């Protein structure tokens, strides 16, 4: 690796410091490196050797023996399990700085530890979450393809991509438009080629309704929207199925037939991902000028500071970001 990844520490009162320290311990002998942006004292408190650095490039040499940290001290003392809005602007600044490092080429990709929404909102943060914030921060950067962001959740051999994300189930049908489904499919198709080195991606489309609508008896979205979109995408050269019943789309044999599944709503994607690998799933933002991954869990305030937080998902997120960066660099 010639350029390291950059990690943000996330909500300082959550499990972020614990899992970042644990991830470094697990990955320090692997052929990758990362720099952390955050309060170095929080990481020293986890019992790891920390070296303070100035830029991500400084992380390459010491990574195998010490955790490289770009020290950004917090204005308020951290009480584990109790987030303080006074620290939220520093958290947001760390994300912005990390994005700038990737955009400038000083880092090869970004991995974000979980943030807590409430203290961020209380401090004036106006974005629904990480993804939307990063999308705005990268809006002016050139990108050779269909713009996202599209959320992908991965676990083992499953890549599940969301057409709609955090919306009420009653609103999903009206949001499943031809334009939204087609754009999502294009982003996923292009990202599989660019970031996963899959020369001829195969997409499976999940139906919205049970039994794929049962010929219209259980819903008409498949007839009126999804099948026409699938035909349009195939005419563009994208290998995508017609909508398939979601209850038969995720077993072992079915997964062998595609590289990513296009899912219509949140639980349709996240239930199979978390069933396959509850601890090791990864959240990936597709269709952005930068590579960004994150663990598929929250801040864990209820277990923070107890030494029981598992770093599996963060470790997987770092490895995946490294693989994606290598695939993108090789193009």
């Amino acid at each position: 690796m010639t350029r390291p990844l950059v990690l943000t520490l996330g909500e300082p009162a959550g499990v972020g410091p614990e899992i970042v320290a644990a991830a470094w311990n697990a990955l320090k002998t692997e052929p990758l490196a990362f720099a952390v942006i955050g309060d170095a004292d929080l990481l020293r408190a986890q019992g790891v050797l920390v070296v303070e650095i100035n830029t991500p490039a400084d992380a390459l040499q010491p990574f195998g023996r010490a955790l490289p940290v770009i020290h950004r001290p917090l204005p308020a003392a951290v009480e584990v399990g109790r987030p303080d809005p006074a620290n939220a602007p520093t958290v947001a600044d760390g994300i912005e700085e990390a994005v700038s490092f990737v955009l400038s080429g000083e880092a090869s990709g970004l991995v974000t530890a979980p943030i807590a929404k409430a203290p961020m909102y209380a401090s004036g943060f106006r974005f629904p979450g990480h993804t939307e914030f990063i999308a705005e921060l990268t809006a002016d950067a050139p990108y050779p393809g269909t713009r996202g962001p599209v959320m992908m959740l991965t676990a083992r051999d499953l890549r599940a991509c969301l057409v709609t994300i955090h919306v009420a189930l009653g609103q999903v049908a009206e949001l499943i438009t031809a334009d939204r489904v087609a754009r999502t499919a294009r982003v996923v198709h292009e990202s599989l080629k660019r970031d996963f080195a899959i020369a001829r991606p195969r997409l499976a489309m999940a139906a919205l309704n049970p039994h794929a609508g049962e010929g219209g008896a259980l819903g008409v979205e498949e007839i009126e929207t999804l099948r026409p979109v699938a035909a349009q995408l195939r005419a563009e050269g994208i290998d995508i199925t017609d909508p398939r019943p979601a209850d038969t789309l995720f077993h072992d044999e079915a997964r062998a037939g595609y590289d990513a599944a296009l899912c219509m709503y949140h639980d349709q994607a996240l239930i199979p991902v978390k069933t396959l690998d509850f601890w090791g799933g990864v959240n990936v933002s597709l269709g952005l000028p930068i590579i960004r991954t994150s663990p598929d869990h929250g801040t864990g305030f209820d277990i923070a500071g107890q030494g029981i937080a598992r770093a599996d998902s963060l470790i997987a997120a770092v490895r995946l970001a490294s693989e994606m960066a290598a695939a993108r660099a090789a193009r």
Side-chain angles (χ1 to χ4, degrees), residues 5-12 14-28 32-51 63 66-70 110-115 130 293-295 297-299 305 308-318:
L5 301 167
V6 61
L7 270 65
T8 54
L9 199 52
E11 167 53 54
V15 297
E18 299 172 57
I19 61 174
V20 168
W24 173 74
N25 266 319
L27 296 168
K28 61 187 177 184
L32 54 80
F34 59 78
V36 181
I37 296 179
D39 194 312
D41 292 334
L42 289 180
L43 291 162
R44 289 189 180 97
Q46 305 305 316
V48 297
L49 180 62
V50 169
V51 57
F63 185 79
L67 175 56
V69 181
I70 300 171
L110 168 63
V111 183
T112 57
I115 57 173
H130 263 121
T293 68
S294 70
H297 61 71
T299 52
I308 59 174
R310 292 182 56 158
D312 306 50
S313 186
L314 180 59
I315 292 167
V318 172

Side-chain angles (χ1 to χ4, degrees), residues 1 3-6 101-102 105-110 291 321-322 325:
M1 173 176 278
R3 293 182 300 150
L5 301 167
V6 61
F101 279 133
V102 186
E106 295 176 80
S108 59
L110 168 63
I291 290 164
S322 181

Side-chain angles (χ1 to χ4, degrees), residues 14-324:
V15 297
E18 299 172 57
I19 61 174
V20 168
W24 173 74
N25 266 319
L27 296 168
K28 61 187 177 184
T29 60
E30 295 193 10
L32 54 80
F34 59 78
V36 181
I37 296 179
D39 194 312
D41 292 334
L42 289 180
L43 291 162
R44 289 189 180 97
Q46 305 305 316
V48 297
L49 180 62
V50 169
V51 57
E52 293 187 27
I53 60 174
N54 295 314
T55 69
D58 298 333
L60 290 171
Q61 193 275 332
F63 185 79
R65 59 177 177 79
L67 175 56
V69 181
I70 300 171
H71 179 47
R72 298 293 179 259
L74 294 164
V78 174
E79 185 178 354
V80 175
R82 295 182 179 275
D84 189 335
N87 288 325
T90 304
V91 172
D93 289 347
I95 298 167
E96 186 168 358
E97 185 177 14
V99 168
S100 72
F101 279 133
V102 186
L103 288 175
S104 71
E106 295 176 80
S108 59
L110 168 63
V111 183
T112 57
I115 57 173
K117 308 294 176 58
M120 298 291 285
Y121 297 155
S123 74
F125 188 74
R126 59 183 179 85
F127 300 91
H130 263 121
T131 304
E132 296 82 3
F133 186 34
I134 294 169
E136 176 155 311
L137 292 172
T138 58
D140 294 332
Y143 181 67
T146 307
R147 282 269 182 170
V150 167
M151 181 184 289
M152 170 190 282
L153 285 305
T154 71
R156 298 187 190 175
D157 61 345
L158 173 60
R159 303 180 186 94
C161 307
L162 290 158
V163 175
T164 68
I165 307 176
H166 296 116
V167 298
L169 193 57
Q171 298 175 329
V172 169
E174 66 186 73
L175 294 174
I176 300 299
T177 64
D179 286 347
R180 185 187 294 264
V181 175
R183 182 186 67 83
T184 304
R186 293 183 189 113
V187 169
V188 173
H189 172 79
E190 294 167 12
S191 293
L192 289 175
K193 295 174 73 173
R194 179 181 298 112
D195 300 327
F196 293 84
I198 298 173
R200 295 180 176 82
R202 302 163 301 161
L203 306 185
M205 180 185 290
L208 174 66
N209 296 298
H211 301 183
E214 197 72 77
L218 298 177
V220 297
E221 287 81 6
E222 286 74 21
I223 296 171
E224 295 181 353
T225 303
L226 298 181
R227 287 180 190 166
V229 169
Q232 172 192 336
L233 291 166
R234 287 193 292 270
E236 296 175 12
I238 295 176
D239 183 352
I240 188 168
T241 69
D242 281 333
R244 294 179 176 177
D247 63 350
T248 60
L249 195 59
F250 299 108
H251 61 84
D252 291 350
E253 291 181 13
R255 296 198 309 276
Y258 59 82
D259 300 300
L262 211 64
C263 300
M264 298 299 123
Y265 57 93
H266 183 275
D267 285 8
Q268 192 177 65
L270 270 73
I271 288 173
V273 166
K274 294 193 175 186
T275 300
L276 274 177
D277 190 354
F278 183 79
W279 297 109
V282 178
N283 183 338
V284 187
S285 297
L286 304 181
L288 294 177
I290 69 170
I291 290 164
R292 181 260 174 155
T293 68
S294 70
D296 183 26
H297 61 71
T299 52
F301 288 132
D302 56 328
I303 62 169
Q306 299 178 34
I308 59 174
R310 292 182 56 158
D312 306 50
S313 186
L314 180 59
I315 292 167
V318 172
R319 286 177 174 147
L320 181 58
S322 181
E323 292 167 5
M324 292 172 67

